[in-house]
Amino acid sequence: MARVATAAAHRTGRGFLRDIVRVPDNIVPNFFEPFLYLLAMGLGLGAYLARIKGVRYIDFIAPGLVATAAMFGASFEVTFNCFVKMQFGKIYDAVMSTPLTIEDIGLGEMLWSTTRSLIYGTVFLAIASSFGVVHSWWAVLTPVAVALTGMMFSAIGLSFTAVIPLIDYYTYYWTMFITPMFLFSGIFFPLDRMPNWVQVVAWFIPLHQAVDLMRALILTGDIGSAAAAAAWIVVVTGALFVVPMNLLHRRLVK
Amino acid sequence: MSDPVVVVARGLTKRFGQFEAVKGIDFHVDAEQCFGFLGPNGAGKTTTMRMISCSSPPTGGELTVLGMPAWVDGRRIKRRMGVVPQENNLDEEVSVIDNLIIYARYFDISPKVSTPRAEELLSFVALEDKRDWRIYALSGGMKRRLLVARSLMNEPELLILDEPTTGLDPQARHLVWEKLRSLKRQGVTLLLTTHYMEEASQLCDRLVIMHEGRILVEGSPRELVAGHTSPQVIEVFEPPLDAEAGLAALEPVADRTERLADRWLFYTGDGDALLAKVRALPLDPSSVWLRGGMLEDVFLSLTGRGLLE
């Protein structure tokens, strides 16, 4: 535990400097993506739709887009950015010749990508709230939910990064994992009138749980279903937490 | 200073699956000396360096660095050690000075302390006017010097350099050597690998020659030349066919003869006497050259002339 704390301090207080120096190049562009969806789908498509589950279409999709912002924020970082640092820049090799170990580096990357998702998710929510999409006081807990979501996708993405030999393999990650989740996790249409098997499958989809969590906090205020989804994410993240560190160790310590 | 002996290895072994890269080597490195690992590619030099720098766990044997067991006490060892890697791993995405300051952060050195130190080290390696440059704009020699500066950010007692001048032009190489000598004078122990014999003779107090995972010989450059090759060498470049019989007749006079595709080499203790005999043969005088024995002769006689990759 002391080691984890040291490692966390190293990255949050110190190592982040590298990434913070790079904020203008690296972080700013990704802010726009969820807004494009909010505007195009929420206002554009929403103008042609009747109410969905009793609310405006933009109210329905905005919480899901908060979850998406968290997922994308973490995923970009632990996939392309980490792979480039590790494989092309050999940055991890450099850091491993300092008192830090590969486990510290993995943990640092997860904390930083979680921080990124926290930034994206909360800024997105703040701006989206000006469209009147926040309907529950439970929304104050959104940053916690965003951080949980970000941590979960950090662990998943970093594990993938630790095992792939070539950067091209991200095509599989994005087109077969991230994009289908984005489309079929109940962000743009409700899943509860789908056949039963769809809902069973959906229960296992990480983003679907995050969408349920955000929607409960921001739209419905149904704290029971928020707690269930949060518990799912905590359990899965806890189970996956050390996986990327072990895989990175196997890859880089020879 | 602390210990008089900085690195001790006994029966040090490293295996990668079935392949044994380092086969039970013994050596020790004294404080404030420059110790060299020479050897052809694949000899096990880098693997040994990686074990010493606690980047790679030893498979067997004992390895003590700065009085602590390597790998096990990696964190504490690395705090007092600097590493210049073989491959450039500077952070291409931040400036020259930020490379140093951020690296220092991993040693818990605050920017307040590391910024003036970084400025000082940049002028030490003659890069002070490149302070705010991006890495991609630097030449190979500048990157190498910056790696040396970065390795000094934590004021190490032991500096590990893996082929510090590979790929550099002579000017840059001499500048790096000068800096390394000045660090040694300041009391830093240097440990380097190289396959440049001149580099080893110039810098190393003691060295080992490694081949196929084993240490073949150990000593100072002078001792190795004295003990493992003849004091003088006569080289005859591209002798005409009609002189070859005459050259062959001289073979028994030399300690050892080598016939290569483009020249003959006579290793001898009495260069002048043998040179007179060679000169008597029908040879272009400018194709005959008498020189002293060198570390390179030791190296090639021990590790062979074939490509070893």
Side-chain angles (χ1 to χ4, degrees), chain A residues 13 18 96-97 99 104 254, chain B residues 56 75 78 91 93 103 105:
Chain A
R18 172 193 185 273
M96 282 160 69
S97 63
D104 302 334
K254 292 202 171 108
Chain B
S56 173
R75 246 180 236 275
K78 288 192 286 183
D91 193 334
E93 289 162 355
Y103 195 76
R105 285 251 184 169

Side-chain angles (χ1 to χ4, degrees), chain A residues 19-109:
Chain A
D19 300 300
I20 288 165
V21 166
R22 300 196 56 241
V23 161
D25 315 338
N26 190 307
I27 288 198
V28 173
N30 293 58
F31 272 117
F32 298 111
E33 194 159 324
F35 286 107
L36 297 177
Y37 284 106
L38 189 71
L39 296 178
M41 310 289 282
L43 296 180
L45 182 60
Y48 293 91
L49 293 177
R51 297 193 149 228
I52 184 163
K53 300 185 75 137
V55 297
R56 292 178 303 158
Y57 190 57
I58 193 169
D59 294 323
F60 180 76
I61 67 169
L65 290 174
V66 173
T68 306
M71 174 178 78
F72 279 133
S75 298
F76 273 117
E77 186 63 28
V78 292
T79 58
F80 293 106
N81 286 0
C82 284
F83 194 83
V84 168
K85 276 191 264 185
M86 173 177 72
Q87 195 75 358
F88 304 124
K90 308 280 175 200
I91 305 282
Y92 294 174
D93 293 330
V95 179
M96 282 160 69
S97 63
T98 75
L100 299 202
T101 64
I102 187 62
E103 286 78 8
D104 302 334
I105 294 170
L107 179 60
E109 293 292 14

Side-chain angles (χ1 to χ4, degrees), chain A residues 3 10-11 13-15 17-18 21-22 25 89-91 93-101 104 253-254, chain B residues 14 16 50 55-57 71 75 78-79 83 87 89-91 93-94 98 102-103 105-108 134 150:
Chain A
R3 269 196 46 192
H10 267 294
R11 277 296 287 190
R14 287 162 266 263
L17 190 63
R18 172 193 185 273
V21 166
R22 300 196 56 241
D25 315 338
K90 308 280 175 200
I91 305 282
D93 293 330
V95 179
M96 282 160 69
S97 63
T98 75
L100 299 202
T101 64
D104 302 334
V253 177
K254 292 202 171 108
Chain B
K14 180 72 193 187
F16 298 106
R50 283 174 49 81
S55 303
S56 173
W71 187 251
R75 246 180 236 275
K78 288 192 286 183
R79 205 165 272 287
V83 177
E87 237 177 314
N89 57 22
L90 293 163
D91 193 334
E93 289 162 355
V94 300
D98 281 341
I102 292 167
Y103 195 76
R105 285 251 184 169
Y106 298 126
F107 291 88
D108 288 317
R134 287 293 179 106
R150 192 184 70 177

